[in-house]
Amino acid sequence: MRQIVLDTETTGLEVRQGHRLIEIACVELVERRPTGRHWQTYLNPERAIDEGARQVTGIEDEFLLDKPFFADVADDFLAFIGDAELIIHNASFDVGFLDAELARVGAHLGCIGDRCRVIDTLAMARERYPGQRNSLDALCKRLGVDNSARDLHGGLIDAQLLADVYLAMTSGQVVLDLAFEGAHEEAGAAVLAPVTLLRRPRVLRADAAELAAHEQRLDALDKAAQSGSVWRRLERPEAVAAEA
């Protein structure tokens, strides 16, 4: 099975207000394994970037002036995703922008839903961890994915982190409810802590009365078993050897 983990960056939050894509990044998984193949491009959005988006991405308008328009890369992008399953965090946002860009190029390109099945990892996380923060950063922390290199939002690094998060969420290895992460860590520490014996354990040996009671019990077993009890036979290995 081929999957594409996809992330985009945009000039602003609302596609209906004419905001555009400024970056698309895709990371390939085959049979749930990263292949090392990716597809990424910056785009000239033909408009200014909102201040909020600029602060989040660190991308300046001037940086995008010599970058291709979406129409210039649409065929390459569609060829890379093919009919793969797309994995996207907050998929309605990214797909909405991609569909708007495809529509600008021409109706003949259709929309993302015509080509690919889409998995929304935000919806998946909300179902699995209700009532918790489910941003990409929060999921990285919860699932042990190292996101220390993520100073700003960037399409390619976010797609790579999302791939790790998706594989962790769906691997079956995280079996405890992570709403109790602190308790889980404490319990794990208690279970995994090495045991050190400070002194030799005291051995209690049977006294005469206990040995007599044991022999009486074996006599009763011998009487019930016509060939003698297993316990007595094991006490006399030469008898067992003779029977073999």
Side-chain angles (χ1 to χ4, degrees):
M1 177 177 63
R2 184 171 183 264
Q3 297 171 302
I4 299 295
V5 185
L6 184 148
D7 187 71
T8 66
E9 301 299 338
T10 64
T11 61
L13 295 177
E14 279 292 339
V15 67
R16 289 173 294 184
Q17 294 177 2
H19 283 292
R20 304 283 301 273
L21 293 176
I22 57 176
E23 184 183 6
I24 307 172
C26 304
V27 172
E28 183 183 61
L29 305 176
V30 174
E31 303 301 335
R32 293 180 51 81
R33 294 179 180 275
T35 65
R37 293 186 67 220
H38 69 271
W39 188 93
Q40 184 268 350
T41 187
Y42 293 102
L43 297 167
N44 184 335
E46 302 179 87
R47 60 158 293 157
I49 304 173
D50 275 6
E51 181 58 29
R54 184 181 293 106
Q55 291 179 1
V56 168
T57 63
I59 298 174
E60 300 289 343
D61 295 306
E62 294 76 12
F63 173 75
L64 300 175
L65 291 177
D66 62 346
K67 301 303 183 286
F69 302 117
F70 180 83
D72 299 327
V73 301
D75 289 340
D76 287 344
F77 166 67
L78 294 175
F80 187 83
I81 65 172
D83 57 356
E85 187 175 71
L86 299 185
I87 299 166
I88 308 173
H89 200 66
N90 193 13
S92 60
F93 178 87
D94 299 79
V95 171
F97 274 89
L98 289 167
D99 284 347
E101 297 288 357
L102 291 169
R104 287 189 182 94
V105 177
H108 65 285
L109 293 181
C111 61
I112 294 296
D114 296 333
R115 300 170 176 273
C116 305
R117 177 174 178 258
V118 177
I119 293 178
D120 187 349
T121 51
L122 177 59
M124 181 185 298
R126 284 172 173 168
E127 181 177 351
R128 183 161 299 191
Y129 314 116
Q132 300 184 63
R133 293 182 63 248
N134 290 303
S135 66
L136 183 56
D137 281 334
L139 289 172
C140 285
K141 180 178 180 180
R142 187 175 302 140
L143 296 168
V145 174
D146 182 8
N147 66 340
S148 58
R150 190 194 191 217
D151 296 328
L152 296 168
H153 287 221
L156 187 55
I157 189 171
D158 286 2
Q160 291 167 337
L161 290 173
L162 182 58
D164 290 340
V165 163
Y166 170 76
L167 293 174
M169 274 204 300
T170 58
S171 67
Q173 295 176 359
V174 182
V175 295
L176 296 179
D177 183 355
L178 292 174
F180 305 98
E181 291 162 13
H184 174 217
E185 291 172 1
E186 292 175 4
V191 171
L192 298 176
V195 176
T196 302
L197 296 178
L198 299 180
R199 61 182 180 179
R200 185 181 297 276
R202 183 183 176 189
V203 178
L204 298 178
R205 301 185 182 280
D207 58 22
E210 291 170 330
L211 289 172
H214 177 66
E215 291 299 321
Q216 290 177 0
R217 180 59 178 163
L218 292 182
D219 289 340
L221 290 174
D222 281 347
K223 185 175 180 180
Q226 296 180 356
S227 60
S229 69
V230 172
W231 297 104
R232 282 271 166 75
R233 295 171 67 194
L234 289 176
E235 288 177 351
R236 300 190 301 274
E238 67 280 359
V240 175
E243 293 175 1

